[in-house]
Amino acid sequence: MTAIASLRRRTALAGAAALAVLAASATQASAAYNPADPAQKAQYDAALKVAAEGYQYGIPLLNMQRTFRTSTSVNRPNGRGGGPVNAFSHFRKLADAKDRTVVAPNSDTLYSMAWLDLSKQPQVIHDAKNIKRFHVLELLSPWEENFANIGSPAKAFPDGDSVVTGPSFKGRLPKGLRRIRSPYDRVWIIGRTYVDGAKDLAATHKVQATYKITPLNRWNPKKPLSYTPKKGKADTTINEAHVPGTGTGEDPATFFDALGDEMRRFAPPKIDAPILARLKTLGIGTGLHPVAGGRLTDAQLQALRDAVTQGPAKVQSSLLKAYLSKFEATNGWLVGRVGSYGTDYELRAIADKFGLGAPHPEVSVYPLTFLARDKSPLTGAHRYVAHFPPSMAHPPVKYFWSLTLYDNDSFFVDNPIDRYLVNDRSDLKYNGDGSLDVYIQPDAPSSADQRRNWLPSPQPTAKTPGFRLMVRLYGLSAKGI
């Protein structure tokens, strides 16, 4: 997709603002490393290049482990994505501006999340056949690959009964089950079920109630919803995990020791052999512990630390570089093909930081922008128009589309009409030529027609007056993709 909408400022421009990338936190200095020593500095520079590549390669795997530990730290589904393994946790309500739990929430679908543990046996996933609304159960590997989907999207497995098997499963499967082969014994399921506003919540809950996970040895094809797991003493306190090496007082270099453990648990795919060979020169790899191993010099250890502390800013820089390189071609929107990455480790790290759990384009595409046409940051201090030409005013989607406004922390913006998005169900006023203008500003437009198309932005006096826009396109046509 090469064009969506042009975004222009409605007031006079004072000039293009310079872009800035936040610097990473100060690095932890090693007392024995002397950067003034040419030999040590050369060793450090060589090691930093490898370590930075290792951070980019490994952060998605460790962030998925962090997400798993946090989500499964409770043993009852909490309605916010947390719960025990092999059980769905359904979101039951739509987010509003007071909700600061889920980053970049949407009002198009309700989530249903689960983590599968396939180490002991396969798990059967049931959803009702002939569901009339859009729905998808997205299956993700620990390396953030969307390896399968169940439900409405093109190329997805059909509804009914599917059995997910791990890589070591050799047994026989009962008839009537569609097999989905997982490359690993752990799977993250992100379910999305269409909801048409608050009035549609009860009907959406009924669809969610048909989603069920059952161990293969307990599956009853005649009663697919009958299984009830044993429950111990309730633990409903979420324990927020963090990526090793990023906690207060931790040595950042231990990130790579933890990465070695996770790579041993979830072996990298064979196509990663070239990068693994490079990382191994610094003691980074499957089952390796470059810090605990004690074989690295002080200069090399400092390079490991700096790679971790500088890592988030470098991912941010990669995002900006990718965004600006195609800024004109995409009318100022950042559009990427995510969900499957191959050896594009940079894109995977970007998706991990800014769109964890992003699915294949066949499911949905999420164009994003945080800059105006003059490349200045979007802010509530100005009024804007998002203009969709006739060719894009009705996007070529099979299911639905929306345009959502978030503050710079990726949460909804409080506003007097509780409007956080416009979509294909909104009562929008189209122009005579079929184009669409969405008015993005803090205060209501004076024109009644413009108020119909008003998407409120933060007040300029707000704590975070900056904002970003995200389009959601579900069921985009092959030509549109």
Side-chain angles (χ1 to χ4, degrees):
M1 184 171 61
T2 58
I4 303 174
S6 60
L7 193 67
R8 67 181 187 274
R9 188 184 298 178
R10 301 184 72 197
T11 55
L13 297 175
L19 293 176
V21 178
L22 294 178
S25 58
T27 60
Q28 178 176 327
S30 172
Y33 167 56
N34 180 13
D37 183 328
Q40 290 190 50
K41 184 61 167 62
Q43 190 177 61
Y44 168 86
D45 290 341
L48 182 61
K49 182 178 180 180
V50 175
E53 195 174 14
Y55 177 87
Q56 182 186 82
Y57 177 79
I59 185 59
L61 181 62
L62 290 184
N63 195 30
M64 282 286 274
Q65 171 67 3
R66 178 199 64 80
T67 306
F68 169 78
R69 289 181 58 199
T70 299
S71 300
T72 58
S73 63
V74 294
N75 61 10
R76 297 285 192 278
N78 64 3
R80 307 304 296 165
V85 296
N86 301 328
F88 277 110
S89 177
H90 301 295
F91 287 59
R92 297 300 195 185
K93 65 176 185 175
L94 295 169
D96 58 25
K98 298 181 180 66
D99 194 324
R100 313 289 284 186
T101 303
V102 178
V103 175
N106 79 78
S107 290
D108 297 308
T109 68
L110 289 184
Y111 290 112
S112 298
M113 296 189 179
W115 290 89
L116 299 185
D117 179 0
L118 308 175
S119 60
K120 295 181 180 178
Q121 63 173 308
Q123 299 290 323
V124 177
I125 301 176
H126 172 83
D127 67 328
K129 295 181 178 179
N130 302 316
I131 297 175
K132 302 301 182 183
R133 66 180 63 213
F134 172 87
H135 62 287
V136 60
L137 301 178
E138 175 194 3
L139 278 62
L140 289 152
S141 80
W143 292 92
E144 299 188 15
E145 291 280 331
N146 175 201
F147 67 90
N149 296 294
I150 301 171
S152 302
K155 303 180 182 180
F157 285 85
D159 297 319
D161 294 301
S162 301
V163 58
V164 186
T165 61
S168 61
F169 178 74
K170 304 296 183 184
R172 290 186 176 183
L173 295 173
K175 292 182 178 180
L177 292 176
R178 287 178 297 273
R179 184 175 184 176
I180 300 177
R181 289 177 168 84
S182 169
Y184 299 96
D185 283 334
R186 179 183 294 170
V187 179
W188 188 20
I189 300 178
I190 303 178
R192 299 173 177 89
T193 306
Y194 173 83
V195 58
D196 188 10
K199 66 182 184 298
D200 191 39
L201 285 173
T204 308
H205 294 166
K206 291 181 180 179
V207 175
Q208 290 180 308
T210 74
Y211 304 159
K212 185 73 174 182
I213 299 171
T214 304
L216 180 61
N217 65 358
R218 299 295 301 276
W219 179 65
N220 183 344
K222 295 182 179 180
K223 298 180 179 180
L225 301 178
S226 62
Y227 171 70
T228 301
K230 293 181 179 180
K231 295 181 180 180
K233 184 179 179 180
D235 180 0
T236 58
T237 302
I238 283 283
N239 298 315
E240 292 288 344
H242 65 271
V243 172
T246 65
T248 302
E250 293 182 350
D251 182 352
T254 58
F255 171 101
F256 294 101
D257 284 13
L259 178 59
D261 292 336
E262 289 305 303
M263 291 170 67
R264 180 171 52 195
R265 183 180 301 178
F266 305 112
K270 293 180 179 179
I271 59 172
D272 291 350
I275 190 174
L276 294 177
R278 294 193 297 274
L279 297 181
K280 194 172 182 179
T281 63
L282 199 58
I284 301 170
T286 302
L288 300 180
H289 303 101
V291 177
R295 296 183 179 182
L296 297 185
T297 66
D298 292 315
Q300 291 172 324
L301 286 172
Q302 186 60 43
L304 294 183
R305 297 184 180 107
D306 290 350
V308 175
T309 56
Q310 296 169 7
K314 287 192 174 183
V315 175
Q316 171 86 0
S317 179
S318 295
L319 171 70
L320 286 172
K321 183 179 178 181
Y323 181 25
L324 295 177
S325 68
K326 298 181 179 179
F327 191 86
E328 301 300 332
T330 57
N331 272 333
W333 295 83
L334 176 65
V335 186
R337 295 182 66 93
V338 295
S340 183
Y341 305 97
T343 58
D344 193 341
Y345 311 120
E346 180 179 67
L347 178 60
R348 186 174 67 188
I350 291 173
D352 169 76
K353 184 173 177 63
F354 298 99
L356 179 63
H360 275 297
E362 288 79 7
V363 176
S364 59
V365 176
Y366 302 149
L368 171 73
T369 186
F370 43 87
L371 300 177
R373 288 289 294 171
D374 67 339
K375 299 181 181 178
S376 62
L378 298 175
T379 172
H382 302 289
R383 298 182 297 161
Y384 304 89
V385 174
H387 177 75
F388 294 79
S391 61
M392 290 305 301
H394 297 280
V397 294
K398 182 177 181 180
Y399 302 111
F400 53 88
W401 66 267
S402 63
L403 172 65
T404 306
L405 187 147
Y406 299 105
D407 64 21
N408 277 346
D409 294 323
S410 293
F411 296 112
F412 288 149
V413 171
D414 192 23
N415 64 83
I417 60 174
D418 293 330
R419 181 182 294 168
Y420 313 117
L421 77 164
V422 295
N423 55 31
D424 54 339
R425 291 134 279 162
S426 301
D427 181 25
L428 299 172
K429 173 68 174 179
Y430 287 81
N431 300 322
D433 63 354
S435 63
L436 174 66
D437 290 325
V438 178
Y439 299 90
I440 303 165
Q441 56 193 68
D443 301 314
S446 57
S447 163
D449 285 344
Q450 290 186 5
R451 286 197 295 273
R452 286 170 61 182
N453 296 12
W454 175 36
L455 186 56
S457 60
Q459 292 290 334
T461 55
K463 184 177 180 180
T464 55
F467 66 90
R468 60 192 61 178
L469 298 167
M470 179 182 290
V471 177
R472 286 181 168 88
L473 302 166
Y474 278 84
L476 191 62
S477 67
K479 183 179 179 180
I481 293 175

